[in-house]
């Protein structure tokens, strides 16, 4: 649902607008070659039309002039970026894009005519050999009722209408016997194109109302290739039909007679199935209310408090686990066991995980009361799965079984992907039989606040041509919702994988088993070569490059007012280059799912919204047409290809987390934690600096505490790197090893030669026990530091509310 202010987003607006373009090109400077001899210009405004318009081709001219006019109907409350492309129509390079210019239409005021002169070269080059494109813009008002929008200040949902079409049965049957079908197209709709069959002769088209949808109808031979562009003998703008009334339309046939169509256009309810808002959902707020009662009791027992804590004074404590395959899974079991033994687990309100650590949580949350039971029982149950050989689960016979299930899913409407295959393999690795549990079913484990709320983390990336360095968006999954931090857009957990359009649920698919989500969260094979090249650099080089790119992007946006962006043409042509580009940039095991943000627009001032700015961290964020709402599907991967840290959700200011117990399972101590801290600093997200001495780097200890006293919003971070320090000499805090026990303290955590490397899928019993005991010990021996951090958080909470 929209926030209250968003409901009145354009209540004072009385008009929408029509925009006209008169593009023409001239040369400024003698002898300058402006364009190729044969050229034309295309115009695309994704926020107002799915169609790309183009001028005629002007041939054999260095100074082409078109003087053509194009009209778009726009909504001024959303971000409208017009893309103009100059194409060269050559004999050897047809339709080659020479130059691309993006223009922000917010620069054009209603009633005004504006002439824009776009320089098509960098300033230095253009002074010697100038090239320009001149375009005239005019914005005119259209009288009519204002469009009702729903927005959270970043995303905007526009009004939809529904076109009902019923095809006359008799003529349809005659056409089918003659091996012909009826093709119906509404480009401005969710469905796009539909056709009649023996069993289908009625249709629905869900249309973006302000795009002025048009129905096109034609006959086509069933044997005809799909996608062939032939003329539509019937073209009907839907605005011509009276709302809610059925209209009969006749389409003459060459064979004689006519096809009868019965049409009706109706408005569709504005109630959204996507929640647009940055507040916590009602279910999570209710959970926190219940969980804080459990946490208050736990704090009272730990610190012998003299009074019962009111809800506002109860600290919010979170456990944050990184990824790392079976290493992360095993170590997280040991860490949680130790927190349980110290009576600290009941102080925790959130647990976030990524990659391998998600496997621990999906196992635990099948038990509605897992944190109230002895975790050693869970560990003994999962141990055989970690020790067993995995070869049988990737045999040809097994792969046939997996393939059968994936075919059935595709027939139901799920998008096929290699990640789904990996999900089934992973399920077999970790379970003896299919795990029928689902994410939404984990609500039974938190409905009384009896366990912390689990949050799983993934990243949405581009499936081709870009590394995670260039584009990625944090995405969180919890038993209540799945959504994007950056966009403030969420859907119910059971609706993930279903089909959405403009914030409305179009087709609900059955909720997937949890293994399909695990395949996304721990997709360790979705690396493309661009990711690999990026990770070959050192962390310092990475951050230097990222910060530089971000600052240049912000400077460009600031200097130009967000109105004009020039892009170099893509000069790569030819099949060989295309093949090489696929090898370089494609993700071999990419995960695809239906995009629940599909077709939502970006609000006109989304770049100024503080909630968006917090996660505005790629150069594409100021280009609405390249952001996720414009994509039909999501490409979700393991977060480790950017930062192997699941803490992003904990930095949501609405969660107001006081303490993060950070469990870093990286084989290089501190690396991921430092990168995350640097990321937060660049983004302006409250987070303490991670400052370490040379001695710490050479001989890391079990536990470190970081805080920022100058910023009360910054959480206290209790960091546990995965290190074998005093464990070499102690079996338990204060209990020294005997000579016969010394080998049990030798845990090989070498980045290259360790038996715990991320891609290892089977452990020996000895190695499993060592890692489990190490991760348990490191928490137990750090009890005083954890309690001190919790006590400090309690004092901060009480001081804040006392001053308030």
């Amino acid at each position: 649902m929209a926030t209250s202010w968003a409901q009145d987003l354009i209540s004072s607006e009385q008009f929408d607008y029509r925009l006209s373009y008169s593009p023409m090109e001239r040369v400024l400077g003698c002898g300058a070659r402006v364009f190729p001899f044969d050229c034309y210009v295309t115009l695309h405004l994704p926020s107002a039309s799915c169609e790309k318009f183009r001028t005629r081709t002007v041939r054999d001219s260095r100074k082409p002039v078109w003087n053509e006019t194009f009209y778009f109907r726009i909504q001024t409350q959303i971000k409208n970026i017009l893309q103009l492309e100059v194409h060269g129509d050559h004999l050897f390079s047809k339709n080659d894009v020479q130059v691309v210019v993006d223009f922000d239409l917010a620069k054009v005021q209603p009633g005004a005519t504006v002439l824009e002169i776009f320089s098509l070269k960098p300033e230095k080059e253009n002074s010697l050999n100038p090239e320009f494109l001149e375009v005239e813009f005019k914005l005119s008002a259209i009288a009519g009722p204002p469009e009702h929008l729903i927005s959270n200040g970043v995303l905007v949902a526009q009004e939809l209408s529904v076109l009902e079409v019923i095809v006359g049965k008799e003529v349809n049957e005659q056409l089918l016997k003659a091996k012909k079908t009826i093709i119906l197209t509404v480009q401005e709709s969710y469905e796009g194109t539909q056709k009649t069959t023996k069993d289908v002769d009625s249709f629905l088209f869900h249309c973006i109302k302000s795009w002025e949808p048009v129905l096109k109808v034609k006959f086509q031979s069933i044997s005809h290739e799909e996608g062939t562009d032939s003329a539509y003998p019937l073209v009907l703008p839907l605005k011509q039909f009276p709302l809610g009334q059925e209209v009969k339309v006749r389409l003459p046939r060459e064979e004689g007679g006519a096809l009868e169509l019965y049409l009706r256009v109706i408005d569709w309810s504005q109630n959204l199935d996507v929640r647009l808002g940055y507040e916590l959902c009602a279910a999570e707020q209710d959970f926190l209310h219940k969980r804080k009662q459990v946490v208050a009791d736990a704090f009272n027992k730990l610190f012998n408090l003299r009074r019962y804590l009111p809800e506002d004074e109860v600290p919010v404590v979170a456990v944050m686990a990184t990824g790392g395959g079976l290493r992360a899974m095993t170590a997280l079991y040991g860490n949680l066991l130790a927190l349980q033994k110290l009576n600290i687990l009941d102080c925790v309100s959130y647990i976030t995980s990524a990659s391998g650590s998600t496997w621990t949580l999906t196992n635990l949350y099948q038990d509605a009361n897992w944190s109230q039971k002895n975790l050693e029982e869970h560990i003994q149950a999962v141990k055989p799965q970690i020790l067993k050989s995995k070869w049988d689960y990737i045999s040809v016979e097994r792969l046939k079984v997996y393939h059968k299930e994936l075919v059935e899913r595709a027939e139901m409407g799920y998008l096929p992907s290699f990640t789904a295959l990996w999900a089934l393999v992973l399920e077999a690795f970790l379970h003896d039989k299919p795990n029928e549990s689902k994410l939404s079913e984990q609500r039974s484990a938190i409905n009384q606040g009896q366990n912390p709320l689990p949050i799983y983390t993934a990243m949405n990336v581009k499936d081709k041509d870009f590394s995670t360095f260039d584009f990625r968006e944090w995405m969180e999954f919890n038993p209540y919702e799945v959504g994007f931090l950056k966009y403030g857009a969420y859907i119910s957990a059971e609706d993930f994988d279903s089909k959405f359009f403009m914030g409305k649920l179009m087709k609900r698919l059955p909720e997937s088993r949890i293994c399909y989500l695990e395949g996304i969260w721990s997709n360790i094979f979705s690396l493309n070569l661009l990711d690999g090249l990026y990770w070959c650099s050192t962390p310092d080089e990475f951050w230097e490059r990222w910060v530089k790119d971000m600052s240049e992007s912000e400077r460009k946006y600031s200097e130009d007012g967000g109105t004009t962006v020039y892009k170099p043409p893509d000069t790569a042509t030819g099949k060989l280059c295309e093949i090489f580009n696929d090898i370089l940039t494609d993700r071999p095991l990419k995960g695809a799912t239906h995009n629940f943000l599909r077709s939502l627009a970006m609000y006109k001032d989304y770049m100024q919204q503080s909630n968006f700015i917090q996660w505005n961290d790629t150069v594409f964020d100021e280009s609405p047409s390249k952001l996720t709402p414009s994509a039909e599907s999501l490409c979700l991967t393991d977060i480790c290809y950017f930062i192997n840290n699941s803490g992003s959700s904990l930095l949501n200011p609405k969660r107001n987390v006081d303490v993060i117990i950070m469990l870093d399972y990286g084989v290089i101590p501190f690396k991921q934690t430092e990168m995350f801290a640097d990321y937060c600093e660049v983004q302006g997200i409250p987070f303490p600096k991670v400052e370490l001495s040379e001695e710490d780097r050479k001989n890391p200890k079990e536990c470190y505490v970081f805080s920022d006293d100058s910023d009360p919003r910054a959480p206290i971070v209790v960091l546990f790197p995965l290190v074998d320090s005093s464990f070499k000499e102690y079996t338990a805090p204060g209990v020294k090893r005997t000579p016969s026990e010394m080998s049990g303290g030798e845990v090989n955590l070498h980045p290259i030669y360790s038996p715990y490397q991320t891609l290892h899928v089977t452990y020996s019993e000895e190695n499993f026990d060592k890692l489990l005991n190490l991760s348990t010990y490191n928490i137990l021996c750090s009890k005083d530091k954890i309690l001190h951090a919790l006590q400090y958080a309690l004092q901060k909470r009480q001081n804040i509310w006392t001053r308030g």
Side-chain angles (χ1 to χ4, degrees):
M1 297 299 292
T3 54
S4 58
W5 69 268
Q7 297 285 357
D8 299 322
L9 186 62
I10 59 168
S11 59
S12 61
E13 184 68 67
Q14 297 300 315
F15 306 96
D16 51 9
Y17 299 93
R18 187 180 299 274
L19 190 65
S20 66
Y21 305 94
S22 300
M24 11 178 219
E25 300 178 356
R26 301 172 184 163
V27 64
L28 299 182
C30 291
R33 177 182 176 278
V34 182
F35 297 108
F37 287 168
D38 301 338
C39 63
Y40 63 93
V41 178
T42 61
L43 305 93
H44 186 209
L45 186 56
S47 58
S49 174
C50 54
E51 189 174 354
K52 181 178 283 190
F53 300 91
R54 60 162 288 176
T55 67
R56 59 188 171 85
T57 300
V58 176
R59 304 196 178 277
D60 299 323
S61 174
R62 292 183 182 273
K63 304 177 182 180
V65 177
W66 285 278
N67 281 332
E68 296 183 47
T69 300
F70 301 87
Y71 296 91
F72 295 92
R73 177 173 176 167
I74 69 169
Q75 167 56 253
T76 57
Q77 295 298 311
I78 66 178
K79 195 71 168 176
N80 294 291
I81 304 291
L82 176 70
Q83 185 177 87
L84 302 111
E85 295 180 350
V86 179
H87 295 253
D89 201 353
H90 301 292
L91 179 63
F92 301 105
S93 180
K94 281 288 184 183
N95 302 332
D96 184 26
V97 178
Q98 301 293 310
V99 181
V100 180
V101 176
D102 283 358
F103 180 71
D104 189 343
L105 299 180
K107 191 174 181 181
V108 184
Q109 298 300 313
T113 299
V114 177
L115 177 64
E116 285 288 331
I117 301 176
F118 300 108
S119 175
L120 302 178
K121 284 184 175 180
E123 187 176 348
K124 292 182 179 178
E125 294 181 27
N126 211 56
S127 61
L128 299 174
N129 188 19
E131 296 182 5
F132 295 90
L133 172 67
E134 293 188 6
V135 187
E136 185 179 88
F137 300 86
K138 184 177 181 180
L139 190 63
S140 304
I142 297 177
E147 182 181 11
H148 179 68
L149 306 178
I150 297 177
S151 177
N152 61 359
V154 172
L155 293 178
V156 179
Q158 297 181 258
E159 290 185 65
L160 294 178
S161 60
V162 180
L163 169 64
E164 299 176 347
V165 182
I166 299 176
V167 178
K169 288 184 178 293
E170 183 178 343
V171 175
N172 183 40
E173 290 174 357
Q174 294 173 5
L175 288 169
L176 290 172
K177 288 179 181 178
K179 303 297 182 182
K180 289 187 177 182
T181 187
I182 303 164
I183 305 296
L184 304 100
T185 298
V186 181
Q187 283 185 308
E188 303 80 8
S189 72
Y190 164 77
E191 291 78 9
T193 296
Q194 302 184 73
K195 61 182 178 181
T196 56
T197 65
K198 180 181 178 180
D199 302 317
V200 180
D201 56 14
S202 62
F203 307 90
L204 294 178
F205 290 91
H206 298 83
C207 312
I208 302 177
K209 195 172 179 181
S210 64
W211 285 22
E212 297 189 333
V214 174
L215 171 66
K216 300 177 181 179
V217 185
K218 67 179 178 181
F219 303 112
Q220 183 173 288
S221 171
I222 292 177
S223 60
H224 213 284
E225 283 190 24
E226 282 193 37
T228 303
D229 188 17
S230 58
Y232 286 88
L234 183 63
V235 178
L236 299 169
L238 302 192
K239 66 180 181 180
Q240 296 180 356
F241 295 93
L243 200 64
Q245 296 183 24
E246 186 177 274
V247 177
K248 183 170 74 173
V249 176
R250 293 171 58 84
L251 176 60
R253 300 166 52 207
E254 293 181 358
E255 302 87 346
L259 170 68
E260 292 183 344
L261 299 176
Y262 299 89
L263 311 177
R264 186 164 70 108
V265 178
I266 59 175
D267 281 336
W268 203 19
S269 165
Q270 277 288 92
N271 296 325
L272 299 185
D273 299 300
V274 174
R275 183 176 71 88
L276 297 183
Y278 287 90
E279 298 291 333
L280 302 181
C281 69
E284 183 174 341
Q285 293 182 48
D286 181 62
F287 159 80
L288 282 174
H289 172 70
K290 295 174 180 176
R291 183 63 183 174
K292 284 192 174 185
Q293 297 177 38
V294 176
V295 173
D297 288 338
F299 266 83
N300 187 51
K301 293 175 183 177
L302 278 176
F303 301 112
N304 295 315
L305 302 179
R306 296 180 180 179
R307 63 185 180 91
Y308 190 82
L309 288 176
E311 187 170 316
D312 290 340
E313 293 183 16
V314 177
V316 177
V317 181
V319 168
M320 189 288 299
T322 68
L326 289 183
R327 180 180 70 250
M329 180 184 187
T330 304
L332 181 54
Y333 271 114
N335 291 150
L336 294 177
L337 175 62
L339 291 173
Q340 185 183 61
K341 288 182 176 182
L342 295 176
N343 297 317
I344 293 175
L345 190 53
D346 280 344
C347 296
V348 176
S349 294
Y350 292 101
I351 299 181
T352 68
S353 62
S355 197
S357 61
T358 65
W359 306 340
T360 301
L361 296 192
T362 55
N363 280 339
L364 291 176
Y365 278 86
Q366 293 180 67
D367 183 342
N369 296 290
W370 68 266
S371 67
Q372 309 305 315
K373 299 177 180 179
N374 189 339
L375 278 177
E376 290 179 347
E377 296 178 8
H378 281 280
I379 293 170
Q380 291 307 310
V382 79
K383 184 176 179 178
Q385 306 301 324
I386 296 176
L387 303 187
K388 72 183 183 183
S389 171
K390 308 300 192 296
W391 287 110
D392 290 344
Y393 302 105
I394 52 175
S395 65
V396 174
E397 290 73 20
R398 281 280 189 161
L399 291 175
K400 288 180 180 178
V401 175
Y402 304 149
H403 179 261
K404 180 182 178 182
E405 180 169 339
L406 296 179
V407 169
E408 293 173 352
R409 279 176 60 85
E411 291 173 348
M412 294 172 65
Y414 297 95
L415 292 180
S417 72
F418 282 107
T419 295
L421 174 61
W422 161 242
L424 294 177
V425 173
L426 180 62
E427 180 183 50
F429 282 179
L430 301 176
H431 302 273
D432 288 329
K433 59 182 180 180
N435 180 4
E436 299 296 337
S437 67
K438 300 177 177 64
L439 178 61
S440 66
E441 292 173 354
Q442 294 182 9
R443 293 172 188 166
S444 64
I446 54 178
N447 58 4
Q448 299 302 317
Q450 69 269 42
N451 298 300
L453 175 70
I455 300 177
Y456 309 89
T457 316
M459 278 209 154
N460 181 49
V461 298
K462 301 288 186 183
D463 63 345
K464 288 189 65 175
D465 300 326
F466 298 101
S467 72
T468 51
F469 177 89
D470 294 312
F471 182 86
R472 75 271 140 194
E473 296 171 332
W474 302 100
M475 191 171 178
E476 75 167 56
F477 297 72
N478 68 59
Y480 299 126
E481 291 187 319
V482 175
F484 286 95
L485 296 169
K486 182 166 76 174
Y487 298 111
Y490 299 86
I491 56 172
S492 295
E494 55 266 46
D495 290 336
F496 178 73
D497 260 337
S498 292
K499 299 180 181 181
F500 287 78
F501 183 69
M502 195 59 79
K504 301 282 288 184
L505 181 61
M506 305 302 297
K507 181 180 180 180
R508 176 175 277 118
L509 299 179
E511 184 179 2
S512 295
R513 294 188 290 116
I514 196 73
C515 77
Y516 288 103
L517 300 183
E518 290 177 308
I520 291 170
W521 302 330
S522 54
N523 187 353
I524 57 177
F525 300 112
S526 62
L527 176 78
N528 66 17
L529 188 53
L530 288 179
D531 289 321
L533 292 173
Y534 141 61
W535 277 115
C536 287
S537 63
T538 66
D540 289 342
E541 289 172 343
F542 164 71
W543 288 111
E544 182 180 353
R545 176 185 164 196
W546 181 67
V547 172
K548 179 182 177 183
D549 283 1
M550 285 301 298
S551 62
E552 287 179 351
S553 173
E554 290 171 2
R555 183 166 60 251
K556 175 177 64 177
Y557 185 88
S558 176
E559 291 174 353
D560 200 53
T563 56
T564 309
V565 179
Y566 308 109
K567 304 172 188 175
D570 181 5
T571 57
T573 57
K575 191 65 179 175
L576 182 61
C577 188
E578 182 180 329
I579 294 172
F580 178 78
N581 188 64
D582 285 345
I583 295 172
L584 178 69
T585 66
D586 201 10
R587 297 183 181 277
L589 209 62
K590 54 195 175 191
T593 188
H594 299 292
N595 179 13
F596 59 88
L597 301 187
R598 181 182 168 188
S599 78
L600 289 168
M602 304 302 295
Y603 181 58
K604 63 177 182 177
D605 295 326
Y606 76 94
M607 284 292 295
Q608 281 72 54
Q609 301 301 316
S610 60
N611 291 305
F612 184 86
I613 291 172
Q614 179 167 343
W615 308 107
N616 167 27
D617 62 356
T618 75
V619 294
F620 293 113
D621 286 332
E622 62 184 72
S623 302
S625 63
K626 287 184 168 55
L627 293 179
T628 298
S630 65
E632 288 194 14
S633 61
L634 305 175
C635 182
L636 302 177
T637 70
D638 193 321
I639 66 168
C640 73
Y641 298 127
F642 182 58
I643 305 175
N644 187 10
N645 189 301
S646 64
S648 55
S649 294
L650 301 178
L651 301 182
N652 180 345
K654 305 301 182 184
R655 291 197 166 112
N656 200 15
V657 174
D658 300 284
V659 179
I660 298 177
I661 300 174
M662 186 172 288
L663 309 174
D664 188 345
Y665 304 130
V667 293
I668 302 177
F670 311 122
K671 176 182 177 181
Q672 296 299 330
T673 304
E674 288 183 290
M675 291 178 69
F676 191 67
D678 288 343
Y679 176 83
C680 291
E681 182 177 5
V682 173
Q683 292 298 113
I685 299 172
F687 197 83
K689 288 184 178 295
V690 176
E691 297 177 334
L692 300 160
S693 67
E694 286 303 315
E695 177 60 24
D696 289 328
R697 296 185 186 280
K698 292 178 182 178
N699 299 295
K701 299 188 288 290
E702 296 88 353
C703 182
Y704 296 83
V705 179
F706 305 102
S707 61
D708 184 353
D709 293 336
S710 65
D711 189 346
R713 300 171 302 165
I716 301 163
V717 174
V718 185
L719 171 64
F720 287 90
L722 187 60
V723 296
D724 184 10
S725 183
S726 62
F727 182 67
K728 295 175 182 178
E729 299 180 9
Y730 292 84
T731 58
V735 182
K736 278 211 164 189
R737 293 184 180 277
T738 64
S740 63
E741 294 173 328
M742 294 304 291
S743 62
E746 297 172 356
V747 185
N748 183 357
L749 298 173
H750 192 279
I752 299 175
Y753 305 111
S754 170
Y756 307 112
Q757 291 189 58
T758 303
L759 294 182
H760 288 185
V761 293
T762 298
Y763 288 172
S764 69
E765 184 170 11
E766 179 185 8
N767 287 331
F768 173 82
D769 289 341
K770 282 184 176 181
L771 183 57
L772 181 74
N773 293 336
L774 170 67
S775 55
T776 303
Y777 170 86
N778 283 353
I779 294 285
L780 292 177
C781 76
S782 306
K783 174 182 177 180
D784 290 343
K785 289 187 176 181
I786 301 174
L787 293 180
H788 183 268
L790 296 180
Q791 199 164 28
Y792 181 36
L794 180 59
Q795 292 171 356
K796 285 178 64 177
R797 276 269 176 170
Q798 291 175 335
N799 289 338
I800 289 172
W801 291 108
T802 299
R803 290 198 304 269

